[in-house]
Amino acid sequence: MTRSYISRVFRFAPSPNGYLHLGHGFSALLNQEMAMATGGKLLLRIEDIDLERCRPEFEQAILDDLTWLGLAWQQPVRRQSEHFDAYRDALASLQRRGLVYPCFCSRADVVAATSERPDWPRDPDDSPLYPGTCKQLSSAERQRRLKAGQPAAWRLDMAAALKEVHQPIDWREYGGGSEPRRVKAEPALWGDAVLARKDVPASYHIAVVVDDALQGVTDVVRGEDLFMATGLHRLLQILLDLPAPDYHHHELLRDAAGRKLSKSLRAKSLRALRQEGLTPTKLKAQFGLHKRSFAFVP
Ligand code: GLU
């Protein structure tokens, strides 16, 4: 699919499952700087498909923190929980073409099936690759279980998906250098990834590609922890005939021990730092954003 656009569209896409930390502040401000440098727009997208972990008070805290930071985004705020129908449609298109299959396994089943094999391959996020248990089920058995109401996730049949693609799978990457470069995607590293969870009709991977397309996002600026996931996103974009944005994976902020700041490792929140006297001006100087120059190619 070809794309023409006058203005570049960026997005900052936090998940409301905790408070923002410095790393989020950096990513949000970098998106804003790049939008300004190119005369583009900045969207704010609340990635709240995880209905169990996301909470309205965290969303409010995100809006408060970003306003304090001086982030100016286009209204309205986008929310993934408002797009479940679009995710279902995307999944249905893959179902019709036999590119996904229902999986009745629990996470514990996958671990149990692979834990005896120390050499079992793992995905870039260090989870064991799906051993294909439910891929072996006959279609009659699949139908029987689905009809009986057994909860099912939907997994991409990676081998079938790759057979459908007759073009290079790659992307234009702006991160990590002054010149953009093309990166060869390696979607197979993710194996038969989950595209719709048992409890939600989507997973991060399908929601992000559908939304980036729906919202006309031309530039995805996000942390380098998502670099490898971009390979899978590019495959999904090709399968769903969605445009390819450009990507800029930025460095991650780390703590004194060298660990990336993360909610799970309880990185200090922006709001706690603010109470200790941090100001947006100090933060921007600390990030050195004013010293960066951005070389965009139309
Ligand atoms: N929602 C993701 C996060 O908070 C970001 C996803 C993205 O930018 O593609 O880490």
Side-chain angles (χ1 to χ4, degrees):
M1 197 172 179
T2 54
R3 176 185 65 200
S4 66
Y5 53 83
I6 304 162
S7 154
R8 299 180 90 115
V9 180
F10 295 74
R11 88 306 193 266
F12 177 58
S15 305
N17 55 10
Y19 293 120
L20 299 184
H21 53 63
L22 272 183
H24 295 110
F26 174 67
S27 195
L29 288 173
L30 187 60
N31 266 286
Q32 171 149 290
E33 288 289 318
M34 290 188 174
M36 278 169 16
T38 57
K41 290 186 202 159
L42 174 62
L43 309 181
L44 174 61
R45 185 167 78 220
I46 303 292
E47 301 215 320
D48 57 354
I49 54 168
D50 191 335
L51 302 171
E52 250 170 50
R53 290 170 65 219
C54 295
R55 292 206 242 125
E57 58 269 32
F58 287 134
E59 178 178 329
Q60 190 53 52
I62 288 174
L63 299 179
D64 294 346
D65 289 351
L66 294 178
T67 304
W68 169 79
L69 206 56
L71 204 78
W73 60 87
Q74 301 267 313
Q75 296 298 334
V77 172
R78 274 60 172 187
R79 274 183 201 81
Q80 290 194 319
S81 55
E82 293 166 1
H83 290 160
F84 283 137
D85 285 344
Y87 309 147
R88 277 194 200 92
D89 288 349
L91 189 71
S93 147
L94 300 174
Q95 283 166 334
R96 279 194 298 275
R97 288 140 68 198
L99 298 180
V100 286
Y101 61 88
C103 173
F104 305 93
C105 296
S106 65
R107 209 170 281 208
D109 292 333
V110 177
V111 171
T114 57
S115 59
E116 301 288 297
R117 307 265 309 267
D119 56 342
W120 188 260
R122 306 180 80 84
D123 73 19
D125 283 347
D126 204 27
S127 297
L129 287 195
Y130 184 59
T133 320
C134 288
K135 196 175 166 180
Q136 319 303 334
L137 296 177
S138 67
S139 84
E141 178 61 9
R142 280 180 191 161
Q143 288 314 317
R144 191 191 66 73
R145 292 193 191 194
L146 289 172
K147 280 211 184 95
Q150 198 170 330
W154 287 83
R155 289 184 179 273
L156 183 65
D157 182 336
M158 181 59 76
L162 289 173
K163 262 194 221 141
E164 281 239 332
V165 176
H166 305 287
Q167 66 182 84
I169 312 177
D170 61 0
W171 74 88
R172 183 152 67 173
E173 172 66 48
Y174 280 91
S178 52
E179 291 296 319
R181 62 197 161 103
R182 291 218 73 87
V183 177
K184 187 171 172 303
E186 296 183 86
L189 294 179
W190 295 92
D192 288 359
V194 170
L195 297 190
R197 296 169 21 167
K198 286 182 179 169
D199 54 339
V200 196
S203 69
Y204 161 64
H205 300 300
I206 202 150
V208 79
V209 298
V210 168
D211 277 347
D212 284 338
L214 265 180
Q215 292 155 4
V217 170
T218 60
D219 291 83
V220 173
V221 178
R222 61 186 179 192
E224 65 192 7
D225 49 343
L226 291 168
F227 187 91
M228 296 308 288
T230 303
L232 178 54
H233 299 172
R234 286 292 301 119
L235 172 61
L236 293 174
Q237 285 157 353
I238 293 169
L239 294 173
L240 295 167
D241 197 20
L242 303 174
D246 289 337
Y247 290 86
H248 180 124
H249 290 94
H250 59 71
E251 67 272 30
L252 299 175
L253 301 196
R254 295 186 182 270
D255 64 14
R259 295 172 309 187
K260 68 172 191 172
L261 298 186
S262 75
K263 290 174 191 157
S264 49
L265 290 174
R266 301 198 183 286
K268 202 179 253 187
S269 67
L270 268 183
R271 51 192 39 220
L273 292 165
R274 179 159 109 205
Q275 272 154 19
E276 290 170 13
L278 182 72
T279 64
T281 313
K282 279 193 217 164
L283 198 67
K284 285 179 196 166
Q286 180 184 333
F287 291 155
L289 288 174
H290 55 289
K291 292 193 208 116
R292 294 193 178 219
S293 60
F294 307 113
F296 286 100
V297 179

